[in-house]
Amino acid sequence: MHNIKDIRDNIDNFEKSLLKRNIKIEKANIGNLDKENRKLIQDKELLEKEKKNISKTKDQNLFEKSKEISKKIEKLSRDQSEIKIKLDTILSSLPNIPLDDVPVGKDENSNVEIKKFGEIKKFDFKPKPHFELGNSLNMLDFDLATKTTGSRFVFVKNQLALLERALSNFMLDTHINKNNYLEISPPLIANENTMYGTGQLPKFENDQFELVLDDKNDRKFLIPTAEVILTNMVKDKILQVKDLPLRFVASTPCFRKEAGSYGKDTKGMIRQHQFYKVELVSIVEPNNCNDELERMTNCATNILDLLKLPYRKMLLCTGDMGFSAEKTYDIEVWIPSENKYREISSCSSCSSFQARRMKARYKNSKNETNFVGTLNGSGLAVGRTMIAILENYQQSDGSIKVPDVLKPYMNNMEKIHNN
RNA sequence: GGAGAGAUGGCUGAGCGGUUGAAAGCACCGGUCUUGAAAACCGGCAAAGGGGCAACUCUUUCCUGGGUUCGAAUCCCAGUCUCUCCGCCA
């Protein structure tokens, strides 16, 4: 959510910044609504003051007049709230402003590669895609999931289920013990206000799985990412500066409708309606957003370093960033069967954009109340990490070598194989 | 599912129709004292919104939404959440 005051003072810059994201704002409309809103507030406050004075005098002769004023106030405040709702509807659907160092572009083709890491393994056989490997191991079953549930779900069995669990635990332990994140096991369901806070609502309702409840006013959603619930842990709070930064980590299932991605990544478990993800969330002083973004991204890539998986770090362009982000790094891991890099983590700074929606504030060293900065990043997407391990660690016989760092989590198993 | 109790500022907690935006304590900030710190003492300290270059000023807010009243944190109604007891249950 943007601060209308900032927009008012600088509407041309605001327009320009959003244009970088291909968003055209109706400048005149916003300006008029804002003016109208303030006019009505002023009129209303004048009457309120008058009314207040009458009741202070306790003069019975003026009581009738006070009643009349009440009616006028009622009307004004109805009009005003209507205008305010219109204005807020517009403002709440506008994405965050990109930072200056974010490249401008309309889609992922304009993303900028920062650096490649790790070595791409040369296979002396044709590397198989993960779903073939999983299928022949009898440890990934997509057909069964289709039968029980529907498309874009999967049964993970046997040692791959262990691998999935091992990955979660390995990532969690690393972030908790090495990177100083606080482990959280959060609710997987969020209410409407929470979803609004991080920016999933109102604009992206179609991507969410909503629960069917008896009470239509009580709306609840399966979380599309733990970012939603972890970031909202500071909703409606006024924190002390000494409490910051807060760093949370959770491994949770994530649920996404993937609306509009028909025909995209239909094979395998690249794009699923449900997947595990280890999520990092930081709550910081707004000035520290940039440093924290670098730190967080390093925490994420550190996992790939330890797993010895090749990857590259991308700086997303304006057109490819998420709604709430001011700057985003994607980490892409090497997928041998596709002969390309695929997103495995996305780390974003959201400045005070989400904080303003959540009313998450802190008192700075001067004792002034201010909105916090929020960041979120995957550290990492567990399902896609499993894909990367299957493909990068595959052997010619279809077995999968277990990465060294995971062995302690998998009964010191050397290889995942069929019998 | 049944029966009660409650929801007040960053936190704890008074107030139960008229200078109450709200006592007190804690926390926090500034100062005195101290070599420094602690303690003690003095002072300050809610948020949101509007107006003003500013000093400042106005309005709203005591869970949410309605209602009663000239006037509501205080009374009435509905809802949400929390706690206790009983029942049921992973």
Side-chain angles (χ1 to χ4, degrees):
Chain A
M1 180 70 130
H2 297 285
N3 186 352
I4 182 70
K5 278 183 179 169
D6 298 343
I7 297 175
R8 187 149 69 214
D9 296 340
N10 229 331
I11 192 145
D12 291 325
N13 273 350
F14 185 68
E15 182 184 39
K16 251 187 248 166
S17 301
L18 282 179
L19 224 43
K20 286 191 197 169
R21 301 193 64 154
N22 280 322
I23 305 285
K24 286 185 192 65
I25 58 165
E26 295 173 53
K27 224 165 38 168
N29 193 23
I30 292 175
N32 287 338
L33 287 172
D34 179 37
K35 263 184 218 145
E36 182 75 1
N37 179 239
R38 285 189 292 161
K39 171 84 170 63
L40 289 167
I41 287 172
Q42 283 174 44
D43 294 351
K44 186 178 75 166
E45 289 187 350
L46 214 64
L47 291 175
E48 277 167 344
K49 193 180 175 187
E50 197 180 341
K51 186 176 149 182
K52 209 173 178 177
N53 286 333
I54 289 177
S55 95
K56 266 189 195 156
T57 63
K58 301 186 203 172
D59 180 351
Q60 291 208 17
N61 299 319
L62 294 171
F63 287 178
E64 266 315 301
K65 187 166 180 208
S66 178
K67 280 186 183 179
E68 279 168 34
I69 293 175
S70 293
K71 287 205 183 86
K72 282 187 200 159
I73 291 176
E74 214 175 297
K75 165 90 169 66
L76 279 172
S77 95
R78 249 201 320 271
D79 292 350
Q80 187 260 331
S81 73
E82 244 174 64
I83 300 279
K84 186 74 186 359
I85 286 168
K86 274 188 198 164
L87 185 60
D88 283 348
T89 304
I90 294 174
L91 293 183
S92 65
S93 68
L94 296 174
N96 203 353
I97 302 282
L99 281 179
D100 287 341
D101 60 345
V102 172
V104 176
K106 71 174 195 304
D107 56 31
E108 74 261 21
N109 295 315
S110 303
N111 295 344
V112 173
E113 181 182 298
I114 306 281
K115 202 180 168 190
K116 288 192 173 80
F117 299 83
E119 221 160 277
I120 292 171
K121 190 180 163 188
K122 298 232 167 28
F123 289 92
D124 48 15
F125 58 94
K126 190 170 187 288
K128 291 181 184 149
H130 69 278
F131 46 87
E132 278 180 26
L133 291 162
N135 189 46
S136 53
L137 285 166
N138 195 24
M139 296 181 197
L140 287 183
D141 198 331
F142 295 94
D143 294 340
L144 180 58
T146 305
K147 207 156 45 167
T148 61
T149 309
S151 65
R152 293 200 191 281
F153 288 90
V154 66
F155 276 84
V156 181
K157 300 192 284 191
N158 203 346
Q159 287 154 10
L160 281 194
L162 174 60
L163 174 65
E164 187 176 52
R165 187 153 53 91
L167 277 169
S168 262
N169 286 338
F170 161 66
M171 292 179 195
L172 280 172
D173 283 349
T174 305
H175 295 310
I176 294 161
N177 299 323
K178 278 179 64 181
N179 301 328
N180 218 4
Y181 284 82
L182 178 68
E183 180 173 13
I184 307 287
S185 174
L188 304 179
I189 292 173
N191 64 27
E192 192 174 6
N193 187 259
T194 295
M195 296 287 280
Y196 174 82
T198 33
Q200 275 69 29
L201 293 181
K203 217 179 166 185
F204 306 99
E205 190 178 326
N206 286 340
D207 295 328
Q208 315 303 331
F209 280 108
E210 180 170 3
L211 305 180
V212 177
L213 300 176
D214 294 339
D215 180 357
K216 288 284 173 257
N217 293 319
D218 181 21
R219 303 185 68 192
K220 290 194 167 41
F221 301 81
L222 294 174
I223 55 170
T225 157
E227 168 203 344
V228 172
I229 203 91
L230 293 182
T231 310
N232 273 283
M233 284 171 70
V234 295
K235 168 162 99 164
D236 291 323
K237 279 206 178 196
I238 300 183
L239 302 156
Q240 301 297 320
V241 66
K242 66 172 182 332
D243 299 331
L244 302 177
L246 291 171
R247 298 193 176 102
F248 303 128
V249 61
S251 173
T252 70
C254 303
F255 304 92
R256 298 184 182 177
K257 271 196 179 165
E258 296 297 344
S261 67
Y262 303 111
K264 205 174 173 186
D265 302 318
T266 48
K267 272 210 151 163
M269 53 185 297
I270 279 274
R271 192 173 299 276
Q272 300 271 285
H273 287 311
Q274 177 194 323
F275 57 95
Y276 281 95
K277 181 157 62 73
V278 172
E279 184 74 2
L280 306 171
V281 160
S282 298
I283 313 294
V284 301
E285 287 196 78
N287 301 346
N288 297 341
C289 275
N290 244 314
D291 290 345
E292 186 69 13
L293 178 60
E294 298 300 325
R295 183 190 191 274
M296 180 179 271
T297 310
N298 285 336
C299 292
T301 54
N302 184 230
I303 299 288
L304 289 168
D305 292 330
L306 291 168
L307 289 170
K308 300 199 168 80
L309 290 168
Y311 63 93
R312 62 176 186 170
K313 180 177 170 184
M314 306 290 289
L315 175 58
L316 294 198
C317 75
T318 51
D320 204 23
M321 280 200 307
F323 181 75
S324 299
E326 61 169 355
K327 180 173 178 177
T328 299
Y329 290 116
D330 267 13
I331 310 302
E332 299 182 342
V333 70
W334 181 252
I335 301 294
S337 70
E338 299 190 17
N339 203 40
K340 67 176 182 191
Y341 291 96
R342 298 293 303 243
E343 178 188 339
I344 196 168
S345 168
S346 191
C347 299
S348 301
S349 163
C350 300
S351 58
S352 295
F353 185 84
Q354 294 178 323
R356 211 167 281 123
R357 292 176 156 241
M358 293 188 298
K359 298 190 172 62
R361 293 164 291 180
Y362 78 108
K363 280 196 197 285
N364 66 19
S365 48
K366 288 182 206 142
N367 231 18
E368 300 161 335
T369 308
N370 206 350
F371 289 104
V372 297
T374 63
L375 298 97
N376 64 80
S378 1
L380 311 157
V382 174
R384 289 189 178 178
T385 308
M386 193 154 77
I387 294 173
I389 288 172
L390 282 170
E391 297 208 7
N392 284 282
Y393 280 84
Q394 65 178 296
Q395 309 296 302
S396 55
D397 63 357
S399 66
I400 315 294
K401 264 181 71 180
V402 174
D404 289 339
V405 290
L406 292 183
K407 284 175 187 164
Y409 292 89
M410 298 181 66
N411 313 317
N412 293 313
M413 190 182 292
E414 292 286 333
K415 264 186 186 182
I416 294 170
H417 52 81
N418 214 345
N419 37 53

